[in-house]
Amino acid sequence: MNHVLRGTADVPPVTLHVTFQDNALLPLLFGAHDAHLARIEHRLGVRLTSRGNRLVVTGPAEEAEAAKAALLGLYAALGRGETVGGAEVDAAVRMARHAAVRTLEPGAEEPRLPLSDIPSIRTRKSTIAARSPMQAAYMEALAAHELVFALGPAGTGKTYIAVAQAVAMLATGKVERIVLSRPAVEAGERLGFLPGDLREKVDPYLRPLYDALADMLPADQVQRRLAAGEIEVAPLAFMRGRTLSHAYVILDEAQNTTPVQMKMVLTRLGEGSRMVVTGDLTQIDLPPGTRSGLSDALETLEGMAGLGVVRFTEHDVVRHPLVARIVEAYGRRAQAERETRRRARATAAQADDGTGK
């Protein structure tokens, strides 16, 4: 294939050669009608030309190295029997671009090789591999710490990876049960006016957690473990007064907790347990004037031994590329609004002190 090279005019292109030994894997690597190659070209602004079992990569040095690393990582994944689709290609490009930048930085540490030496989580249905450098750091934090705070926008994998780690630890006997919880803040946790029994009342708030479980375990196992109490999905209000021993606890949407609720949940942690607290401080749905328990906990606890904090940004969004741009646009507007308020306060303060400047 031979697409238009989109390198920058002031960066001289380089040419790299990649040779693959197993020709049978190449149709899967290249994709239908070379769709995967076109995707890499579009993401990195390089040109990929196939010649038998060889690929020629042409483009700026950093992007060309990233394209080569992504291709080798995807080829290795296919050799292990894994499937490669558009999402895997995007993940490989994201990881390889990060590794290429680190390699070219003066004095940088040796980067992690994309899709080969990165963390992954094995569940009964699939293997969940990191799709961004921050996801790799998150998986390492989950393995190393008993309490982890994961912050950042939707689409970064905060909850999904936490559920995968919980399921993996339950399957290997490292914990005896999983407890998944969210604050039902839209109904003020007073759910009596909703129709149905208790489970039907709270299910709409907990649906994302059920969806993640369904991706990790066969449907019959999910139902059996729910019935046996090995997996519990409950609103935040139901956590009070309990001690959760030998459990993997996930508190999702924690930005919508109050400081009192957050302290209550954190102090439920018992012997042999782990806890993950996820949230997005830009999407707080609490009543005006109510402080978020998540921000309060971070100010109080960050830096404490045994605690890990992982912060995702819009650059770590692994859903549709448009989602990252949407998050970024909202972030820019929020920053502009904060700056406007800051200037208004400064102007008001100057007027009060009589300077008028």
Side-chain angles (χ1 to χ4, degrees):
M1 67 182 301
N2 197 353
H3 287 248
V4 177
L5 178 64
R6 298 188 299 119
T8 55
D10 57 341
V11 179
V14 301
T15 299
L16 304 176
H17 299 270
V18 190
T19 302
F20 304 100
Q21 300 301 320
D22 189 349
N23 288 353
L25 297 179
L26 296 188
L28 300 174
L29 177 64
F30 293 176
H33 307 293
D34 291 340
H36 294 164
L37 298 186
R39 200 177 188 104
I40 294 172
E41 287 184 326
H42 177 72
R43 294 283 188 271
L44 293 173
V46 299
R47 182 172 65 231
L48 302 178
T49 306
S50 59
R51 298 173 180 172
N53 68 333
R54 298 174 61 214
L55 266 180
V56 178
V57 184
T58 307
E62 183 179 309
E63 287 76 10
E65 288 290 350
K68 179 178 178 179
L71 287 162
L72 290 173
L74 292 168
Y75 178 76
L78 288 168
R80 295 191 296 268
E82 300 174 18
T83 59
V84 168
E88 287 72 27
V89 172
D90 288 346
V93 169
R94 196 178 296 113
M95 297 294 293
R97 178 185 278 143
H98 176 76
V101 170
R102 293 296 309 278
T103 300
L104 295 174
E105 286 178 353
E109 298 177 0
E110 184 69 21
R112 177 184 288 113
L113 295 175
L115 294 181
S116 58
D117 191 31
I118 62 175
S120 62
I121 300 170
R122 290 186 177 275
T123 67
R124 186 64 61 89
K125 290 181 68 173
S126 62
T127 297
I128 312 301
R131 291 189 172 182
S132 74
M134 194 55 66
Q135 282 194 359
Y138 184 30
M139 289 183 178
E140 290 174 341
L142 293 176
H145 298 287
E146 295 177 341
L147 174 60
V148 176
F149 284 83
L151 316 174
T156 51
K158 304 183 301 295
T159 303
Y160 193 83
I161 291 174
V163 173
Q165 179 76 355
V167 170
M169 292 190 71
L170 180 65
T172 56
K174 295 179 180 177
V175 295
E176 296 175 357
R177 56 181 169 150
I178 298 172
V179 179
L180 310 174
S181 185
R182 298 180 95 186
V185 69
E186 295 86 351
E189 297 199 29
R190 293 184 295 272
L191 307 176
F193 70 92
L194 294 174
D197 60 20
L198 175 62
R199 184 162 180 172
E200 290 171 333
K201 291 176 189 292
V202 301
D203 266 2
Y205 301 99
L206 306 174
R207 190 74 255 166
L209 299 175
Y210 285 115
D211 291 341
L213 281 173
D215 282 352
M216 311 298 170
L217 289 168
D220 61 331
Q221 278 205 33
V222 172
Q223 294 304 318
R224 178 172 58 79
R225 291 179 184 270
L226 283 168
E230 292 180 15
I231 299 176
E232 178 183 351
V233 186
L236 177 61
F238 288 33
M239 303 285 281
R240 189 175 298 278
R242 305 176 61 186
T243 299
L244 301 172
S245 301
H246 305 289
Y248 201 104
V249 184
I250 299 174
L251 175 60
D252 195 29
E253 299 288 342
Q255 76 275 6
N256 289 327
T257 63
T258 65
V260 171
Q261 289 173 324
M262 178 61 75
K263 181 180 177 182
M264 178 271 293
V265 173
L266 294 177
T267 54
R268 299 308 94 196
L269 199 62
E271 181 182 356
S273 291
R274 289 180 176 248
M275 182 178 292
V276 184
V277 179
T278 71
D280 179 0
L281 289 172
T282 69
Q283 295 193 29
I284 297 174
D285 300 316
L286 294 167
T290 303
R291 181 166 172 75
S292 168
L294 179 57
S295 60
D296 182 77
L298 288 168
E299 289 181 11
T300 305
L301 303 176
E302 190 162 7
M304 185 180 68
L307 171 67
V309 179
V310 180
R311 288 181 167 88
F312 293 91
T313 70
E314 66 272 9
H315 303 295
D316 301 305
V317 173
V318 295
R319 291 181 185 169
H320 193 285
L322 185 59
V323 174
R325 295 197 290 273
I326 290 171
V327 171
E328 186 176 4
Y330 273 101
R332 286 196 303 268
R333 191 180 77 171
Q335 179 62 34
E337 290 172 348
R338 286 194 294 270
E339 182 63 20
T340 299
R341 289 194 295 270
R342 185 191 67 79
R343 290 176 179 174
R345 288 194 296 269
T347 301
Q350 289 173 351
D352 289 343
D353 67 16
T355 63
K357 297 181 181 180

